Amino acid sequence: MQSGNCTSSSGPCNDKQLPRGEPRQQRQPPQVSTASEAMGWLPSLLLLAGFQTPEDGYIEAGHRQFVRMSSSLEETLTTVMVTLWATSPVLCLALYAYLLFSFKSLRTFLVLYMVFCLFDPRPYDGVGRRVSSVQKLPIWAHVNKYFQPRMVFEEPLDASKKYVFGSHPHGVISYTAQLLAGPTGMGLESHFPGLVVRGVTMPATFGIPFFRDYALAMGCLSCDRDSIRSILSERRHKLRQSLLVVVGGAQESMLAHENSADLVLLKRRGFVAEAVRAGCDLVPIYNFNENSIYRLLPNPPGSLVHKFETAIRNFFGFTILLFHGRNAFFTPYRTQLTSVVGRPIKVQRNYDPSAEEVDMYHRMYVEELTRIYCKYRPKYAPLARDIRFVA
């Protein structure tokens, strides 16, 4: 295990005394408009459901008057939309199951659709089915308002070049990586027009009905070796594409505790080797507060939770994490996301790189990632612990 050290005066209000025998006037209750009274239950209901918090500007306890009514409802809409976006894989799977078992007339179509999902070659061909108009979807305005993502660049990128970006940490779901790659209007492409960045994910993602089509429209492809080589190759297609990979994978997701910076990187050299083969500069990215979006249940080695998560990972290649959000609907915690993009590491192309050459570039990558973490942690995540490379 390695760690990166970062140096761096009045009492209660009483009624006035009245002359003896003079009747005391009774205090009138506050007047509440019919509209406010009719909807007075709504803020309390949303507060109990977890879609709104007192910090978001809600109501005084014991009063049925709205405080900043329009603003509060707008905030609630944003929270609901972000919740739907965050839980979309599960919702899509549930929708497919509901349609399959509830509508006999759709079963043949749904079965054929699933067969198509399993044998569709597009997630692996380096091109996919990217739809640029996805950037115009209204969901991104809500995501932007909820997380307020921002990017910090150590130096400008050259949109005419190809890069291999490494995104850290994995987090529970890797939400920041989804925003960085593809046509979201908040990622790398929006800062450098002409740059095309393809994110990659586990092949199992493309077996989730409906959600897989969203992922393909976002420009996401499979993370297997042949797919990565197809993305970076210009012989198979005339596209100049960069790659963004979440290096730590499922193993690192099990370490995504709040304020932690435990990374699985020391043994991850495959992405470096592919960058050398394609002649792409390596660029580390650290996403501050990614691990604060959800809360993992305690899972120290040897615990039942850890054994369960490890068994799933060993069998399927991905894991099922036990975690919670703001409420029972797995609404993400509201946190400001900051992605710091390090300096590109110049790579000399070599179609058959040696282990020593890969190790050299890997060491430079780890050093640059550690540097940007230590430099920006006091500003963007002052409560975070030192960076550690645990595997």
Side-chain angles (χ1 to χ4, degrees), residues 6 150 258-261 286-292 335-336 338 340 373-386:
C6 307
R150 58 187 168 194
E258 186 181 17
N259 294 327
S260 69
Y286 195 89
N287 305 308
F288 288 96
N289 298 317
E290 171 71 37
N291 286 345
S292 297
T335 182
Q336 200 278 319
T338 301
V340 177
Y373 180 84
C374 294
K375 178 180 179 180
Y376 290 97
R377 179 182 66 166
K379 183 176 182 179
Y380 298 121
L383 300 180
R385 295 186 285 272
D386 285 349

Side-chain angles (χ1 to χ4, degrees), residues 289-311:
N289 298 317
E290 171 71 37
N291 286 345
S292 297
I293 295 177
Y294 284 116
R295 305 289 190 269
L296 281 180
L297 295 186
N299 58 350
S303 65
L304 290 177
V305 175
H306 187 271
K307 290 179 180 179
F308 168 78
E309 294 173 346
T310 301

